[in-house]
Amino acid sequence: MSQAADFLRERLADARPVVAPPVVAMVLGSGLGDLAERVEVAARIPFADIPGFPVGAVSGHAGEVILGRLGGREVLIVSGRVHYYESGDAGAMRPVIEAIAGLGIGKLLLTNSAGSVRADIAPGSVMMIEDHIAFSGLNPLIGEASDARFVSMTTAYDERLRAGMAEAAAKLGETVFGGVYMWFSGPSFETPAEIRMARILGADAVGMSTVPEAILARFFGLRVVAASVITNFGAGMTGAELSHAETKEMAPRGGARLSRIVETMLQEGAFDD
Ligand code: HPA
């Protein structure tokens, strides 16, 4: 058991001695903190207080773990992920994912901002991740010694949780695309040639996160569901230059829709079993 999990278990028990453990943990992408604001908060714990937790450097993000209630369920929110490009460590989120598993939370929802490589998936859209391509060539399990490192990724994105997300979106009358997320290391954005390549290779969206966490989650036995908020068309698809400012400005738009979908999933019991 990780020290972080022990520490968090105590802190969470202090906050809520008697209720059920969280049904899901969520790692929220930058600009997608809307969900955290809708939560009835019971405890907030800064990353800096938790043994072994990474301290990120993305603008506007201080990492914290939030325990609270959303959609009538207990949830654990991780706000402020760290990315590979901050440290060069693809396993930077390992202590976080390990602690989630150590707390006995069996499900993980990952969200991110991403660029679309498909003309029909416009900025503001929500794309449920059906599969991924670890195009960076990196892997958070490099150096892991046990045979458990040979993790099956055949059904990395859990079919039942995906069905739950699709049902919640349908209930709300929201369109959710399904697609393949391609992980680039960043932090520079892609070139137009890389976006054309991504499309040819079968990607629907590109981004700089989520894949290492999905691999780690499968390693630790968590069921995963993930969604991208599309903030822009990929490089070269329009005349525009890409910028982090645009990503941050656009993320809350699709983010608000994704938040409603997740809240509905919770209300409908998609994370209960
Ligand atoms: N590329 C990579 N990551 C991103 C993008 C993009 O176009 N938009 C938001 N995150």
Side-chain angles (χ1 to χ4, degrees):
M1 186 68 53
S2 75
Q3 247 189 304
D6 288 342
F7 173 86
L8 282 169
R9 183 176 298 103
E10 270 181 38
R11 290 290 299 268
L12 301 185
D14 287 347
R16 276 219 208 284
V18 283
V19 291
V23 294
V24 63
M26 308 181 182
V27 175
L28 303 183
S30 44
L32 301 174
D34 188 57
L35 260 181
E37 270 148 43
R38 296 162 80 103
V39 165
E40 251 177 74
V41 176
R44 279 179 192 278
I45 307 162
F47 272 25
D49 289 359
I50 307 171
F53 265 40
V55 181
V58 170
S59 55
H61 255 273
E64 60 178 357
V65 171
I66 299 166
L67 173 73
R69 271 182 99 70
L70 185 69
R73 306 295 191 282
E74 206 75 6
V75 298
L76 190 86
I77 294 191
V78 175
S79 177
R81 66 150 56 88
V82 289
H83 301 80
Y84 168 75
Y85 59 72
E86 291 170 64
S87 64
D89 177 8
M93 287 290 281
R94 180 172 175 145
V96 179
I97 308 297
E98 186 175 16
I100 289 165
L103 287 168
I105 303 171
K107 301 179 198 77
L108 180 66
L109 175 97
L110 301 166
T111 71
N112 62 49
S113 302
S116 170
V117 302
R118 268 175 47 186
D120 61 323
I121 306 185
S125 301
V126 174
M127 188 189 91
M128 177 164 68
I129 299 179
E130 294 176 339
D131 204 346
H132 75 226
I133 300 173
F135 182 73
S136 67
L138 301 161
N139 195 296
L141 297 176
I142 289 174
E144 168 64 33
S146 70
D147 274 1
R149 65 189 161 188
F150 300 112
V151 178
S152 171
M153 295 298 289
T154 310
T155 51
Y157 298 92
D158 188 85
E159 279 179 30
R160 271 183 296 149
L161 294 178
R162 274 159 49 194
M165 182 174 275
E167 278 162 27
K171 188 163 194 241
L172 293 168
E174 292 278 7
T175 300
V176 170
F177 295 90
V180 173
Y181 176 90
M182 186 180 258
W183 176 36
F184 285 81
S185 76
S188 56
F189 285 110
E190 299 73 28
T191 63
E194 286 165 344
I195 294 298
R196 290 195 296 276
M197 175 206 69
R199 186 179 306 122
I200 290 165
L201 293 183
D204 301 292
V206 294
M208 306 177 195
S209 69
T210 302
V211 167
E213 292 127 57
I215 294 170
L216 287 163
R218 297 305 296 144
F219 176 71
F220 287 113
L222 303 176
R223 289 167 59 199
V224 178
V225 63
S228 296
V229 167
I230 302 297
T231 54
N232 56 281
F233 283 117
M237 291 175 69
T238 68
E241 290 284 343
L242 305 192
S243 74
H244 187 51
E246 182 195 22
T247 300
K248 281 202 294 196
E249 191 187 313
M250 287 298 296
R253 261 223 251 159
R257 300 175 51 225
L258 180 55
S259 295
R260 280 200 300 279
I261 292 167
V262 172
E263 198 168 348
T264 302
M265 285 178 80
L266 285 159
Q267 277 162 358
E268 297 291 308
F271 296 106
D272 288 355
D273 67 329

